[in-house]
Amino acid sequence: MDFKGKTAIVTGAGSGIGAAIALELATRGAHVVVADIDHSSAVDTVTRIASEVGSALAFEVDVADAESVREMANFAVKEFGGLHLAVNNAGIGGPSETTADYPLEDWRKIIDVNLNGVFYGLKYEIAAMLETGEGGAIVNMSSVLGSVGRPKACAYVATKHALVGLTKVAAMEFAARNIRINAIGPAFIDTPLLTKNLDPDVIESLAELHPVGRLGTPTEVSALTCFLLSSQASFITGSYHLIDGGYTAR
Ligand code: NAD
C-alpha cells in the first residue's frame, strides 16, 4: 500500500488507534493532519512520525464543534494542497449506567462527539475532496458495538450503530464521484480508552469475550483501516467491517 502524494486527516490521532493509523499512513507516504482535542498528544504523534521520516502536522480540533471541523479540513487543503483520505476516529466512552439511570449530560456529550463529530467530519471532508477533484476514501470508526448491544453503554452503542447508517448513506451519495466511505467495527482494543478507565480484572474479563483470547491492538486496526483507504479496496464502499477476534461469532 502506497499513499505517496495523498493528504490524510486522522481525528483522535493523539492516542491509541488514531495514533497508530496516523503513523502507518505517514510511513506509507501520506501527508497526515494529526487532529486531536489534546494538542500536546497530537504533537507527540507528529514527533513520532517525524522520527520515522514521515510528513505530518498537528491540528487542535474539537470534533463536536462544526466550525472547528471545517477549519481542520481547510487546514489540510491549505498546508498540503488538497484532501484525499480521512479517518473519523475520535470518540469517547462514557459512564457505565443503565438506560434508566444514564445522565442526560453524558448522553448529549457522547452524541456530540461520537455521532455529530463524524457527521461534521464527513460534511467538510467530502467537500474538500470534491474540491481537490481526485476522488477519496474515508473510514468511520464505529465499533463491534455498532452491531451488538452492551448493557450500561446506551449512548456509546447508539452512536456506533448510527455511524453504520450514516456511512451507508454518504457512501451511496458519493460513490459515483469516486469517494468511497466505509465503517469499521473493532472489538475491545488495548488503548488508553480502556486501560485508563477500567480495572485490570475487568480488562481481563473483556479479553475473554474474544475467542482469540486477547484484546486487539491498535496496529491490527490500523492495518484494516489503511487497506480500506487504499486503491486495493477500490470496489469496497458503504460497508461495515468487523475486526473483532471472533467476538460476534459466539
Ligand atoms: P483513545 O482514548 O486512546 O483515543 C481517543 C482520542 O480521541 C484521544 O486522543 C482524545 O484526545 C481524542 N478525542 C476525544 N474527544 C475528542 C474531540 N471532541 N475532538 C477531537 N479529539 C477528541 O481511544 P481509542 O481506543 O484509540 O479510540 C479511538 C476510536 O476507536 C473511538 O472512536 C472509539 O470509540 C473506537 N473504538 C475503540 C475501541 C477500544 O476498545 N479501544 C473499540 C472499538 C472502537
Side-chain angles (χ1 to χ4, degrees):
M1 281 178 285
D2 182 359
F3 296 111
K4 279 197 194 73
K6 306 283 187 196
T7 297
I9 290 173
V10 184
T11 66
S15 174
I17 295 169
I21 294 168
L23 198 65
E24 180 165 354
L25 285 171
T27 53
R28 293 181 182 279
H31 302 294
V32 182
V33 174
V34 175
D36 205 290
I37 199 167
D38 176 351
H39 191 60
S40 71
S41 73
V43 171
D44 288 347
T45 301
V46 168
T47 305
R48 281 173 64 198
I49 288 172
S51 73
E52 311 234 350
V53 207
S55 162
L57 290 171
F59 186 84
E60 185 174 332
V61 69
D62 177 0
V63 297
D65 174 356
E67 182 55 22
S68 175
V69 176
R70 193 178 69 83
E71 284 169 9
M72 173 184 74
N74 288 346
F75 177 82
V77 173
K78 181 168 150 275
E79 295 296 331
F80 294 125
L83 184 65
H84 310 92
L85 309 170
V87 183
N88 294 310
N89 163 77
I92 54 175
S96 184
E97 292 289 352
T98 66
T99 304
D101 285 331
Y102 211 80
L104 292 178
E105 204 180 310
D106 291 297
W107 169 268
R108 291 193 191 103
K109 169 95 179 152
I110 292 163
I111 301 285
D112 267 349
V113 175
N114 291 8
L115 177 55
N116 293 344
V118 175
F119 165 65
Y120 301 146
L122 288 170
K123 180 172 172 60
Y124 296 114
E125 291 154 3
I126 290 169
M129 287 174 185
L130 291 174
E131 203 183 307
T132 305
E134 296 168 17
I138 300 176
V139 170
N140 294 327
M141 192 59 65
S142 178
S143 163
V144 72
L145 300 180
S147 60
V148 295
R150 181 170 174 82
K152 300 193 171 178
C154 61
Y156 188 87
V157 170
T159 58
K160 295 301 183 180
H161 274 68
L163 291 189
V164 176
L166 177 59
T167 299
K168 289 178 184 174
V169 172
M172 291 167 78
E173 290 167 346
F174 292 96
R177 300 177 79 177
N178 199 23
I179 298 176
R180 294 182 302 101
I181 305 168
N182 289 289
I184 68 169
F188 292 93
I189 309 298
D190 187 0
T191 72
L193 185 78
L194 285 192
T195 48
K196 232 175 25 196
N197 297 319
L198 300 175
D199 295 331
D201 54 322
V202 177
I203 293 174
E204 185 53 41
S205 66
L206 286 178
E208 284 164 11
L209 297 173
H210 306 73
V212 297
R214 63 172 176 84
L215 302 178
T217 68
T219 51
E220 288 173 320
V221 179
S222 172
L224 173 61
T225 306
C226 288
F227 169 73
L228 290 170
L229 292 176
S230 78
S231 57
Q232 290 177 34
S234 48
F235 199 56
I236 304 178
T237 197
S239 42
Y240 164 66
H241 303 266
L242 288 165
I243 170 164
D244 72 354
Y247 185 102
T248 52
R250 286 170 306 139

